[in-house]
Amino acid sequence: MARGKLIVFEGLDRSGKSTQCERLVSYLSGRGVPVKHRRFPDRTTPIGQMINNYLQGQSEQEDHVIHLLFSANRWEAVASIEADIKAGTTVIIDRYYYSGCVYSAAKNNPSLDLAWCRHPEEGLPRPDLCLFLDISAEDAASRGGWGEERYEKKELQNRVRQLFADIRATDDGSDFVTIDAGQSLEDVEYAIRHHTETCISKIDDTSPLRRIQPW
Ligand code: Z5A
Ligand code: MG
């Protein structure tokens, strides 16, 4: 049996990740592809609830501590993700370790640079494909403005966009396809389907699920 694929959505806030993630999941299910939808942070677990309280400004956390909680929230899902993929289910995730790295590094805390932030993510399952929905902070903000959560500020979003570009310039970038998220919903969806189908067809039964390697 062919293994499932690991496909991740990334991008700035309001880039359309959750909308497109849901559309891709229903498209693939409609074509008979076994598929599971996940998101990070997963706010349903005890660690996820701590993250939720922090994002909503109901609690404070030291910068390194919240960074490690986001990472732990991924690690607690690894066994389940791996079991699904082994059983032939494709897992589609709304945000992954790239968000983990860039939002923490965007805080400009000198002891929390991109390389430090990436260390706890080493060994996680490596995506077969990262669909990066690219949009400027200005265009994203015009989609109803930022909400009330902690990172929803234009200066931070600009730094996040630059840090995503820095990650794409490393070996991790070979997993990315960049899609212009400023297009219509339908055009973005069409590009996503195209890249997903290419990814699914190019991974054969013998390609193992990789792990995130040290830089
Ligand atoms: N974070 C972190 O720090 N560390 C980590 O490890 C992880 C995350 C995993 C919460 O994430 C915060 O956690 C986030 C990063 C940080 N911080 N910030 N800021 P979240 O994923 O829970 O955030 P969210 O609440 O789901 O929002 P979002 O992801 O920012 O939005 P989105 O999913 O990209 O967009 P959307 O909800 O699909 O669409 C937004 C609106 O735009 C909506 O009205 C759509 O109808 C509209 N839209 C979408 N596409 C289009 C197009 N093409 N044209 C016009 N309008 C569109
Ligand atoms: Mg979302």
Side-chain angles (χ1 to χ4, degrees), residues 61-126:
Q61 299 281 354
E62 195 276 335
D63 289 345
H64 300 77
V65 172
I66 188 64
H67 179 73
L68 294 170
L69 287 174
F70 272 113
S71 183
N73 188 232
R74 282 181 280 283
W75 277 105
E76 63 184 343
V78 165
S80 165
I81 292 172
E82 288 180 341
D84 282 334
I85 286 177
K86 195 169 170 198
T89 299
T90 286
V91 179
I92 315 267
I93 313 184
D94 189 349
R95 292 195 191 273
Y96 196 45
Y97 81 96
Y98 315 97
S99 281
C101 296
V102 300
Y103 282 87
S104 291
K107 291 177 174 175
N108 282 342
N109 180 327
S111 67
L112 206 63
D113 65 12
L114 207 48
W116 193 97
C117 291
R118 194 177 172 284
H119 282 310
E121 317 292 343
E122 292 172 11
L124 285 175
R126 179 170 174 170

Side-chain angles (χ1 to χ4, degrees), residues 11-20 39-41 43 55 70-71 74 94-97 99-101 103-104 121 143 149-152 156-157 181-185 188:
L12 291 193
D13 289 54
R14 308 283 185 275
S15 57
K17 298 178 299 299
S18 298
T19 307
Q20 294 294 345
R39 62 160 47 206
F40 292 115
R43 304 185 193 219
L55 286 171
F70 272 113
S71 183
R74 282 181 280 283
D94 189 349
R95 292 195 191 273
Y96 196 45
Y97 81 96
S99 281
C101 296
Y103 282 87
S104 291
E121 317 292 343
R143 292 180 174 176
E149 287 204 334
R150 193 177 285 265
Y151 298 150
E152 298 184 337
L156 187 127
Q157 296 290 327
Q183 304 174 90
S184 70
L185 279 172
V188 175

Side-chain angles (χ1 to χ4, degrees), residues 8-215:
V8 170
F9 279 85
E10 279 287 6
L12 291 193
D13 289 54
R14 308 283 185 275
S15 57
K17 298 178 299 299
S18 298
T19 307
Q20 294 294 345
C21 204
E22 277 168 30
R23 286 183 176 216
L24 181 62
V25 167
S26 26
Y27 172 73
L28 291 175
S29 332
R31 293 173 54 104
V33 176
V35 62
K36 181 147 172 191
H37 183 180
R38 281 188 171 271
R39 62 160 47 206
F40 292 115
D42 174 355
R43 304 185 193 219
T44 65
T45 72
I47 291 172
Q49 282 158 24
M50 291 171 76
I51 294 171
N52 183 53
N53 290 340
Y54 170 81
L55 286 171
Q56 296 193 347
Q58 291 159 9
S59 70
E60 294 303 318
Q61 299 281 354
E62 195 276 335
D63 289 345
H64 300 77
V65 172
I66 188 64
H67 179 73
L68 294 170
L69 287 174
F70 272 113
S71 183
N73 188 232
R74 282 181 280 283
W75 277 105
E76 63 184 343
V78 165
S80 165
I81 292 172
E82 288 180 341
D84 282 334
I85 286 177
K86 195 169 170 198
T89 299
T90 286
V91 179
I92 315 267
I93 313 184
D94 189 349
R95 292 195 191 273
Y96 196 45
Y97 81 96
Y98 315 97
S99 281
C101 296
V102 300
Y103 282 87
S104 291
K107 291 177 174 175
N108 282 342
N109 180 327
S111 67
L112 206 63
D113 65 12
L114 207 48
W116 193 97
C117 291
R118 194 177 172 284
H119 282 310
E121 317 292 343
E122 292 172 11
L124 285 175
R126 179 170 174 170
D128 295 303
L129 175 64
C130 174
L131 295 156
F132 182 71
L133 303 191
D134 193 29
I135 195 165
S136 68
E138 291 74 19
D139 288 351
S142 72
R143 292 180 174 176
W146 306 119
E148 299 300 316
E149 287 204 334
R150 193 177 285 265
Y151 298 150
E152 298 184 337
K153 314 212 164 40
K154 192 170 152 221
E155 301 68 37
L156 187 127
Q157 296 290 327
N158 279 326
R159 288 202 295 280
V160 163
R161 191 174 191 221
Q162 179 55 51
L163 285 157
F164 270 128
D166 294 346
I167 285 209
R168 293 207 311 275
T170 71
D171 179 56
D172 295 19
S174 59
D175 303 329
F176 275 66
V177 294
T178 299
I179 293 165
D180 175 2
Q183 304 174 90
S184 70
L185 279 172
E186 291 68 30
D187 286 349
V188 175
E189 184 178 22
Y190 180 80
I192 286 168
R193 286 183 189 178
H194 166 74
H195 290 296
T196 301
E197 278 162 0
T198 305
C199 166
I200 289 178
S201 63
K202 111 180 156 204
I203 293 171
D204 67 31
D205 300 0
T206 57
S207 319
L209 181 64
R210 302 163 303 164
R211 292 189 174 279
I212 295 164
Q213 298 298 315
W215 270 349

